[in-house]
Amino acid sequence: GENVEQHPSTLSVQEGDSAVIKCTYSDSASNYFPWYKQELGKRPQLIIDIRSNVGEKKDQRIAVTLNKTAKHFSLHITETQPEDSAVYFCAASEPWGSSNTGKLIFGQGTTLQVKP
Amino acid sequence: DGGITQSPKYLFRKEGQNVTLSCEQNLNHDAMYWYRQDPGQGLRLIYYSQIVNDFQKGDIAEGYSVSREKKESFPLTVTSAQKNPTAFYLCASSMPFGTSGTNPQYFGPGTRLLVL
């Protein structure tokens, strides 16, 4: 089955700097890659996602890039702000098929701290 | 996210007791999921259901049971067989797999289960 590894586990940046979180996946047939932000004690919230037919997607200060050949994808946050501080999870979707159901496999999470 | 509700917010379980966590959605989503999150950890899939009256075990189903009698509801029972139930339980839902692939999952606010 699919396996997702996420790095780093913790990341500290100064306000205004950029932050990059990387994930690798094992199943080359995976085709959907969402990113979630989870504030302390709250639910994970979808912040951006990308499908395997696209190499990059942007939404204001956040962007996701996908390298299918290398089987890795990254979250980029520019001009970080203190409210960006949270735990970020990447995920990869197992492909749909007779033995798979498209369920999401999550990385272990990255705790991002943005210092004012 | 506002269309998925979970109750209660906090739940206390006595030894040997079964407890049931509620998850309801009004998003008209076919697929629903239960995840367990331990402190500082990622999300682990307990059970999922893609259609009414059908559900599948996830990665850590032992000690848990579910039912899916209505499209809107997917309750999770933590049985006495689950020896370490203290965790944050998250329910999610999504549209079914479509022509564009897997669809995003949206999470409820979670239930924190504690053992007395």
Side-chain angles (χ1 to χ4, degrees):
Chain A
E2 176 63 278
N3 182 54
V4 177
E5 294 192 359
Q6 184 172 346
H7 299 280
S9 57
T10 59
L11 179 60
S12 181
V13 300
Q14 286 295 133
E15 182 177 0
D17 287 349
S18 295
V20 180
I21 303 170
K22 298 182 179 181
C23 289
T24 59
Y25 60 98
S26 59
D27 192 334
S28 58
S30 291
N31 54 17
Y32 174 67
F33 308 92
W35 285 89
Y36 288 86
K37 174 184 179 182
Q38 186 178 29
E39 297 176 352
L40 190 62
K42 301 289 183 63
R43 75 184 86 188
Q45 295 203 315
L46 179 70
I47 56 172
I48 196 167
D49 56 8
I50 193 168
R51 300 192 185 276
S52 58
N53 59 348
V54 176
E56 183 176 4
K57 184 177 179 180
K58 289 183 180 180
D59 183 3
Q60 299 182 346
R61 294 187 299 107
I62 61 174
V64 56
T65 58
L66 172 64
N67 184 327
K68 288 190 292 183
T69 302
K71 291 189 283 187
H72 68 71
F73 56 111
S74 300
L75 178 71
H76 304 253
I77 307 174
T78 58
E79 301 172 19
T80 54
Q81 302 167 3
E83 51 265 39
D84 293 329
S85 296
V87 179
Y88 292 81
F89 292 98
C90 64
S93 171
E94 288 189 341
W96 193 269
S98 59
S99 60
N100 294 309
T101 56
K103 63 185 181 184
L104 292 179
I105 307 300
F106 285 85
Q108 289 301 301
T110 296
T111 301
L112 174 63
Q113 181 186 28
V114 180
K115 299 177 183 177
Chain B
D1 286 2
I4 305 175
T5 59
Q6 291 185 241
S7 62
K9 186 173 182 180
Y10 295 96
L11 185 58
F12 297 91
R13 193 191 90 164
K14 296 179 181 179
E15 192 172 340
Q17 185 182 39
N18 292 353
V19 292
T20 297
L21 286 60
S22 169
C23 178
E24 304 277 332
Q25 54 96 3
N26 61 3
L27 302 170
N28 200 32
H29 286 171
D30 285 306
M32 297 186 74
Y33 311 81
W34 274 106
Y35 293 91
R36 169 178 172 146
Q37 187 175 35
D38 292 284
Q41 301 295 314
L43 300 166
R44 293 186 291 170
L45 184 64
I46 305 172
Y47 268 98
Y48 60 101
S49 168
Q50 293 163 312
I51 197 168
V52 175
N53 293 323
D54 185 55
F55 49 83
Q56 308 294 330
K57 292 182 178 180
D59 301 318
I60 55 165
E62 185 174 352
Y64 301 96
S65 65
V66 293
S67 62
R68 187 81 188 279
E69 297 177 1
K70 299 188 299 182
K71 186 176 184 177
E72 303 80 15
S73 179
F74 190 40
L76 173 74
T77 296
V78 183
T79 74
S80 57
Q82 173 50 247
K83 298 306 179 187
N84 185 23
T86 297
F88 189 42
Y89 291 86
L90 288 157
C91 177
S93 70
S94 71
M95 291 296 288
F97 181 89
T99 55
S100 60
T102 300
N103 287 310
Q105 290 184 21
Y106 297 97
F107 287 85
T111 292
R112 200 166 296 277
L113 177 61
L114 301 167
V115 177
L116 294 177

